Amino acid sequence: MLDASASQKTLAVSLHTRIWAQATVSYVNVLACGLQPNLPEIRSSVETTMELLRALPSPLALRTVVWPLAVTGCLALPGTEAFFAGLIADMGDMHVFGTVREALSVMQNVWQHRDGGCCADPHMWDVATCFSVLGHLSLLV
């Protein structure tokens, strides 16, 4: 029988694994179809990942899922930006450091490009393009 600590660790590992896996599903759909957040399979995967991100036990846990956060944020539909900004803001002062700040910058720039019509051709944009929108390749691990 597992003690409470081991049980919590098992749940945390399961949640983090599901977040990474679901974001990977979104990524693979973009490889197959291009950057088309309105496609049902991409929209569904993004929504599922957002629900999983909501379930994280602490805002600081975002530091372990930065790549899935950024992939999901780049593929999220307009109007959901506040969700991602809120997750990061909930980290308090910790959000200004490292890859979390980089992920937020990537997402914000992708949203600006999307809203400006630069992402109109979904086959010209992919996750790699999103992650290089700052003028350099962003490594979000």
Side-chain angles (χ1 to χ4, degrees):
M1 181 173 222
L2 294 174
D3 64 8
S5 175
S7 178
Q8 287 178 329
K9 183 177 180 181
T10 301
L11 289 173
V13 168
S14 173
L15 177 60
H16 283 77
T17 301
R18 290 174 56 212
I19 290 169
W20 278 88
Q22 197 61 55
T24 302
V25 169
S26 298
Y27 175 81
V28 170
N29 280 322
V30 171
L31 289 177
C33 304
L35 194 73
Q36 300 186 63
N38 284 315
L39 285 178
E41 54 268 37
I42 293 176
R43 193 173 64 240
S44 174
S45 182
V46 165
E47 289 170 359
T48 299
T49 308
M50 289 171 67
E51 287 301 317
L52 293 167
L53 289 168
R54 274 189 195 95
L56 287 170
S58 162
L60 296 180
L62 280 179
R63 295 178 298 174
T64 63
V65 292
V66 175
W67 184 86
L69 172 73
V71 169
T72 304
C74 289
L75 296 173
L77 294 175
T80 60
E81 295 92 344
F83 168 80
F84 296 95
L87 279 177
I88 293 169
D90 287 346
M91 293 179 71
D93 292 338
M94 291 300 294
H95 83 277
V96 300
F97 296 105
T99 57
V100 174
R101 182 190 61 208
E102 181 87 358
L104 181 59
S105 294
V106 166
M107 290 184 290
Q108 289 172 329
N109 275 276
V110 168
W111 298 335
Q112 286 178 327
H113 281 82
R114 176 196 66 206
D115 295 343
C118 294
C119 302
D121 184 353
H123 297 289
M124 295 299 294
W125 278 75
D126 58 15
V127 175
T129 305
C130 292
F131 280 20
S132 63
V133 73
L134 299 177
H136 62 272
L137 294 174
S138 295
L139 180 62
L140 301 175
V141 292

